[in-house]
Amino acid sequence: MELTRRGFIAGAGAVVAGSTFGECALPAHDPNLMVFFSDIHQHDNTVRWKNGPTQANAILPELVKEVLALRPLPANAVVFGDFSASCGWMEDFRLAAAAMKPLSDAGITLTLGMGNHDNRVCFMKVFPDYRSRCLVPGRIVSKVSTPNADLIMLDTLKSRDGEDWAEPTSKGSHVEGTIDDAQREWLRGTLAAATRPTFVGAHHPAREVGIVKEIVTAPTVFGYMFGHDHVFAEGFLSDGYSNSQTVQTATLPSGGFWGDIGYALFRTFEDRAELTVRQTDFWFNRRWQNKQRPKNWTERVRMHDGRKVTFWYDKPGNFYCG
Ligand SMILES: [Fe+2]
């Protein structure tokens, strides 16, 4: 097995900003720590939709910079979809790739998922190497593992008219999410065979995609994380009152577009995982930029920043006996 720079430094166990390996200086990485971004909505308004929203182009690099100041660094970064602000144009993906590049330059592995503003053709043109990570033919489905748990990222993008690999049109994709039969079968088989604590991630809520039963009844699934709403929230999935099993959920903030602005850190332990919200702002849209900031926006940031969601690896069987 190839010994990567990151593996070497992380394996040495040192928290050493500035330790050297070859010509590069990389700090240590925590293999149990991930950073989650969602709804980063980059927009290149020099090409089309010239008055389109570009605030996320400025905010996302600041969030990335903040993550890069962590010691140790997270070993993995996951993007929960909506790279583009509009229709999944290639130019938007290029901006997203440039914004995320400092993470991969720092030895952080990127795991990427599709949202309703994305397009699989343009994604693959900008991230061609990602094809080898895809676990379901024709879908951007991938898995990332820590020493304590696995995270499966689903592809819930619903293309227009079933043209899954068409170039984007000005209509973009459907807002609502879906998974097709092949991905659903793959998910069922994967969860049935899973022996490690497992988390499932996607852009859309599980209920909208129609996978609540799969998530709730899988014995080793302890959490479901998603984006799309741009509003941090914690909750539980349950499969009706007759099933005693529940699975904790977390909705992620947006990486710079509107709503709750920020990212989340996700740390896995032997008996649990913890998601900690980093919220830097609440942002509505550009029309509010020069107006007086409502007090509730500041309150909202205060409420969310630092909020922790704990996902215990502890799931009962179904106690229903009626
Ligand atoms: Fe979004």
Side-chain angles (χ1 to χ4, degrees), residues 38-41 81-82 84 116-117 203 227-230 254 257-258:
S38 188
D39 297 276
I40 61 176
H41 287 294
D82 275 6
S84 167
N116 52 289
H117 284 275
H203 184 71
H228 193 52
D229 293 341
H230 298 207
S254 163
F257 192 50
W258 67 265

Side-chain angles (χ1 to χ4, degrees), residues 26-258:
L26 287 178
H29 296 71
D30 182 344
N32 279 303
L33 183 63
M34 303 189 202
V35 59
F36 290 166
F37 291 98
S38 188
D39 297 276
I40 61 176
H41 287 294
Q42 301 293 288
H43 179 59
D44 186 341
N45 67 350
T46 64
V47 184
R48 44 192 137 203
W49 195 16
K50 304 217 170 182
N51 62 349
T54 57
Q55 65 268 27
N57 300 4
I59 294 172
L60 178 61
E62 293 301 312
L63 301 179
V64 167
K65 205 181 292 177
E66 195 175 294
V67 169
L68 290 174
L70 294 172
R71 296 295 179 269
L73 286 169
N76 290 283
V78 184
V79 182
F80 284 66
D82 275 6
F83 289 77
S84 167
S86 53
C87 304
W89 305 121
M90 187 114 64
E91 296 83 3
D92 301 345
F93 278 107
R94 287 202 189 103
L95 280 178
M100 307 310 283
K101 187 171 180 293
L103 295 170
S104 44
D105 285 349
I108 299 171
T109 301
L110 301 181
T111 296
L112 310 172
M114 293 284 93
N116 52 289
H117 284 275
D118 295 327
N119 176 277
R120 296 186 186 98
V121 173
C122 294
F123 171 82
M124 274 304 172
K125 283 183 178 165
V126 175
F127 295 94
D129 295 344
Y130 207 80
R131 195 173 290 276
S132 64
R133 295 274 313 271
C134 296
L135 301 170
V136 176
R139 292 292 179 269
I140 319 295
V141 173
S142 41
K143 185 165 104 171
V144 55
S145 296
T146 78
N148 292 315
D150 294 335
L151 169 67
I152 293 167
M153 276 301 295
L154 299 177
D155 178 346
T156 57
L157 167 60
K158 183 178 182 183
S159 305
R160 288 264 166 209
D161 305 322
E163 294 179 16
D164 290 331
W165 287 91
E167 297 274 356
T169 69
S170 56
K171 283 184 182 169
S173 301
H174 289 277
V175 173
E176 69 268 23
T178 192
I179 64 171
D180 60 10
D181 291 345
Q183 189 176 170
R184 186 183 301 278
E185 279 311 301
W186 177 89
L187 178 66
R188 285 176 178 161
T190 299
L191 297 185
T195 55
R196 311 181 74 221
T198 302
F199 294 86
V200 178
H203 184 71
H204 293 87
R207 196 164 298 283
E208 181 176 320
V209 179
I211 53 172
V212 171
K213 193 175 190 65
E214 284 83 351
I215 301 298
V216 168
T217 58
T220 65
V221 174
F222 301 111
Y224 183 85
M225 276 85 64
F226 61 104
H228 193 52
D229 293 341
H230 298 207
V231 172
F232 166 72
E234 53 187 311
F236 285 92
L237 286 175
S238 57
D239 182 32
Y241 73 93
S242 63
N243 191 328
S244 54
Q245 295 167 312
T246 58
V247 165
Q248 186 112 23
T249 65
T251 318
L252 302 169
S254 163
F257 192 50
W258 67 265

Side-chain angles (χ1 to χ4, degrees), residues 16 23 31 45 61 120 179 207 212 255 260 299 303 312:
V16 277
E23 296 175 356
N45 67 350
R120 296 186 186 98
I179 64 171
R207 196 164 298 283
V212 171
D260 292 334
E299 180 64 13
M303 282 173 65
W312 293 101

